[in-house]
Amino acid sequence: MNESTPESNATAPTTSPAVPVSAASRRLLGVLVEKAKTTPDNYPLSLAGLIAGANQKSNRDPQMQLDEDDALLALDELKSVGAVREIQGGSRVTKYRHAAYEWYNVDSPGAAIMTELMLRGPQTVGEIRTRASRMHPFVDLAAVNKELQSLAALGLVEALTPPGRGQTFAHKLYTATERQHLIARLDKRAASDSKVIPDASQHAGQIEKIQAKLDDVTSRLHALEQKFDDLVS
């Protein structure tokens, strides 16, 4: 889908440092980019539209319940870093548009990926392709990987897990505390997934112990049988 906004054709800065912003701010910025791409007729967004988009049940993780005060604080943060602009609508209602292309120094594919990572958190390449395709068509996983490499070079994205099947990527806009919690959660999951299964030698030792017990029980039975035979004869 094409997004005809001034930001999409703006001259981007030569650098794009990742500036950590709050979870509420990331959610609102993600909503603005998403709505600009998927429902351009309803863009820019009013405060009420932004809150509704932030709190919607679909395409969001985690679920949020932002109120007006939360949204205004987040918008102030986004305006202070140059990621959002405030405009006056024809009905005198204040509306908001993103400046993500300039702030990120990315084009439409990169903005689509960043938006999905902001709206849903860390994801695999396959998940990113499937979900971001509603904002930008990625022909295959190679196209997504290429864009992820570009975003990583800009300092906007990082791989959270080693290369290979299921490799997970995240944006780098998390606050320091959030990132620590994120890494701790991934480490805990990795530890759980890689529990050591006893090797063959351990199994062999257990089998030998069981066999020894069986041999002992068998010899005792034979001894009892012999005693019984002696008593009967």
Side-chain angles (χ1 to χ4, degrees), residues 16 24 37 72 77 94 105 110 123 128 134 139 145 148 150 152 160 162 172 203 205 209 211 217 229:
S16 181
K37 288 177 171 291
L72 288 172
E77 183 180 12
T94 300
N105 186 21
Q123 300 170 55
I128 292 171
R134 61 198 176 96
V139 295
N145 271 313
L148 284 169
S150 297
L160 296 180
K172 296 184 71 173
H203 282 303
K209 290 179 180 179
Q211 187 62 55
V217 171
D229 290 341

Side-chain angles (χ1 to χ4, degrees), residues 12-13 28 33 40 46-47 61 65-66 73 89 113 129-130 137 141 148 150-151 156 175 179 211-212 220:
L28 293 191
V33 180
S46 65
L47 181 61
D61 187 20
Q65 290 298 320
L66 302 183
L73 285 172
I113 289 177
R129 183 197 175 195
T130 299
L141 294 180
L148 284 169
S150 297
L151 292 171
L156 291 170
T175 62
R179 191 177 184 281
Q211 187 62 55
R220 288 173 181 268

Side-chain angles (χ1 to χ4, degrees), residues 60-209:
R60 306 288 184 265
D61 187 20
Q63 293 295 310
M64 288 187 175
Q65 290 298 320
L66 302 183
D67 58 24
E68 186 172 309
D69 289 339
D70 297 327
L72 288 172
L73 285 172
L75 285 167
D76 285 343
E77 183 180 12
L78 291 170
K79 287 186 288 184
S80 72
V81 298
V84 163
R85 294 171 181 167
E86 182 179 309
I87 62 174
Q88 291 296 323
S91 60
R92 297 184 179 178
V93 175
T94 300
K95 293 192 175 182
Y96 303 89
R97 69 165 63 246
H98 71 81
Y101 292 97
E102 294 169 301
W103 191 53
Y104 293 149
N105 186 21
V106 298
D107 54 10
S108 184
I113 289 177
M114 287 296 295
T115 298
E116 276 304 324
L117 292 176
M118 286 192 295
L119 292 178
R120 296 204 195 198
Q123 300 170 55
T124 64
V125 178
E127 289 171 335
I128 292 171
R129 183 197 175 195
T130 299
R131 295 165 177 172
S133 62
R134 61 198 176 96
M135 290 181 283
H136 180 85
F138 290 96
V139 295
D140 52 26
L141 294 180
V144 179
N145 271 313
K146 181 179 179 181
E147 196 62 41
L148 284 169
Q149 291 173 10
S150 297
L151 292 171
L154 290 171
L156 291 170
V157 162
E158 65 177 329
L160 296 180
T161 58
R165 185 177 180 85
Q167 185 177 26
T168 301
F169 291 85
H171 63 72
K172 296 184 71 173
L173 305 181
Y174 289 106
T175 62
T177 301
E178 285 179 305
R179 191 177 184 281
Q180 287 177 355
H181 290 161
L182 178 64
I183 296 300
R185 189 165 68 248
L186 287 172
D187 288 344
K188 183 177 180 181
R189 182 189 305 170
S192 176
D193 292 342
S194 61
K195 287 181 179 178
V196 178
I197 299 175
D199 58 23
S201 62
Q202 291 175 307
H203 282 303
Q206 292 173 353
I207 292 172
E208 288 176 358
K209 290 179 180 179

Side-chain angles (χ1 to χ4, degrees), residues 3 35 56 74 195:
E3 179 189 354
K35 300 306 182 185
Q56 73 182 49
K195 287 181 179 178

